[in-house]
Amino acid sequence: MAFVTRQFVRSMSSSSSAAASAKKILVKHVTVIGGGLMGAGIAQVAAATGHTVVLVDQTEDILEKSRKGIEESLRKVAKKKFAENPKGADEFVAKTLSSISTSTDAASVVHSTDLVVEAIVENLQMKNELFKRLDKFAAEHTIFASNTSSLQITSLANSTTRQDRFAGLHFFNPVPLMKLVEVIKTPMTSQKTFESLLDFSRALGKHPVACKDTPGFIVNRLLVPYLMEAVRLCERGEASKEDIDMAMKLGAGYPMGPFELLDYVGLDTTKFILDGWHEMDSKNPLFQPCPSLNKLVAEKKFGKKSGEGFYKYK
């Protein structure tokens, strides 16, 4: 009897696992909203791994620039991947580009997609308006995901009627090179959606990590307070920015010091993240405003992209 019971339990367990797997969405068709650096990178890696991609932005000029950027990036990848096979490199680039189409009308293309990945400007109202509009046109099975690095996924999901099919999918820059993807599960995200996004991330050749919908997720939640503490250390006159950078490179083995990294990321971007967190939790000491950072941003000194931040660049 015990043997029969064990066999029955195993059978039921196998059936349940198979049923759960069968329910997952196999993502084949992807719509990426936003043709900037992140959106173009996501479109590139999706197309390069056998997915059909539609890249959407507001104008044809933006999309043409995105497409050129993708082609340049693909040629760099192909040069390394097919070092001994130039013909194979050309075929790889051509095949990947053929899997990417573009559109300026998001509503007209989401009806046949499995996954919508949003990668537009970090503005809650703009993102909510976009998701609310697309929710009316997308198929019932379609998963919505945001690439936001700082906004609450739950707030975005609440602009739609598909909270169970909504999650965060946070890629890192540059997308073709960075292996990590943070998959953010809200209290409303279904297990089916969550597992489908884990599978999709792996299909891209990425390493997904799971996180709940907490400010900054994993990487930024640890990184930004570290960067801000470096600035505060300098503000208090306890060490110079040069010595702090050198200490973290030689002492912790980091490739860049905190001030170098801040300039690389963009001081305006960091301030935006910190301000958003402070608005959500003003009493958290890790989220307090930083006078030095605020001053530089007010002076339009954003880091490398503007020619000056904590350091000057030629």
Side-chain angles (χ1 to χ4, degrees), residues 20-42:
S21 297
K23 289 179 181 177
K24 286 192 287 186
I25 300 294
L26 177 60
V27 176
K28 294 181 179 179
H29 306 290
V30 184
T31 298
V32 181
I33 314 291
L37 203 59
M38 295 302 293
I42 295 166

Side-chain angles (χ1 to χ4, degrees), residues 24-299:
K24 286 192 287 186
I25 300 294
L26 177 60
V27 176
K28 294 181 179 179
H29 306 290
V30 184
T31 298
V32 181
I33 314 291
L37 203 59
M38 295 302 293
I42 295 166
Q44 176 185 323
V45 296
T49 49
H51 299 83
T52 302
V53 181
V54 181
L55 181 61
V56 180
D57 213 309
Q58 293 177 315
T59 68
E60 293 292 350
D61 287 344
I62 294 173
L63 290 168
E64 181 59 31
K65 185 179 179 182
S66 301
R67 196 170 180 84
K68 285 181 180 177
I70 291 171
E71 183 172 356
E72 288 174 9
S73 177
L74 279 171
R75 294 203 179 280
K76 290 177 183 177
V77 172
K79 192 174 181 181
K80 292 181 179 179
K81 190 174 182 178
F82 300 91
E84 307 295 323
N85 183 8
K87 184 180 178 182
D90 290 339
E91 289 174 352
F92 169 75
V93 172
K95 183 179 179 182
T96 302
L97 288 174
S98 71
S99 296
I100 303 174
S101 58
T102 58
S103 175
T104 56
D105 185 4
S108 68
V109 297
V110 296
H111 62 86
S112 59
T113 196
D114 300 316
L115 171 65
V116 173
V117 182
E118 168 274 313
I120 66 170
V121 64
E122 288 284 81
N123 181 293
L124 181 62
Q125 184 179 346
M126 289 178 66
K127 289 179 190 284
N128 278 340
E129 288 174 358
L130 173 69
F131 281 125
K132 184 177 181 179
R133 183 163 63 91
L134 297 185
D135 189 37
K136 299 173 184 176
F137 296 95
E140 187 178 344
H141 78 278
T142 303
I143 296 172
F144 281 10
S146 175
N147 181 58
T148 182
S149 60
S150 60
L151 300 175
Q152 190 180 45
I153 301 298
T154 303
S155 297
L156 298 173
N158 284 339
S159 67
T160 75
T161 59
R162 62 182 75 219
Q163 289 98 330
D164 60 322
R165 287 151 286 157
F166 203 114
L169 205 57
H170 183 218
F171 291 82
F172 291 80
N173 186 37
V175 180
L177 299 180
M178 299 293 278
K179 289 291 185 183
L180 186 67
V181 177
E182 291 175 325
V183 182
I184 314 306
K185 186 179 183 183
T186 77
M188 302 168 291
T189 306
S190 71
Q191 190 64 19
K192 171 184 171 181
T193 295
F194 177 64
E195 290 182 8
S196 297
L197 290 176
L198 290 176
D199 287 350
F200 172 67
S201 301
R202 295 186 188 105
L204 299 183
K206 304 301 183 185
H207 188 113
V209 293
C211 185
K212 291 183 179 179
D213 192 15
T214 186
F217 314 137
I218 298 174
V219 174
N220 282 340
R221 181 59 178 267
L222 296 175
L223 179 61
V224 173
Y226 151 71
L227 296 174
M228 290 303 95
E229 187 55 29
V231 176
R232 293 180 184 116
L233 191 69
C234 186
E235 283 178 342
R236 294 192 296 266
E238 293 165 354
S240 69
K241 63 179 183 291
E242 292 83 4
D243 281 352
I244 293 170
D245 277 351
M246 188 61 68
M248 295 311 295
K249 286 189 285 187
L250 298 184
Y254 290 3
M256 300 173 78
F259 291 93
E260 293 170 326
L261 184 55
L262 278 162
D263 277 356
Y264 178 79
V265 169
L267 305 189
D268 53 336
T269 301
T270 306
K271 173 177 159 51
F272 180 86
I273 292 171
L274 193 64
D275 287 350
W277 292 358
H278 182 65
E279 190 175 325
M280 279 190 270
D281 185 2
S282 61
K283 293 182 180 179
N284 192 321
L286 297 177
F287 301 165
Q288 297 309 303
C290 186
S292 297
L293 181 68
N294 290 347
K295 182 175 183 294
L296 288 169
V297 171
E299 295 170 352

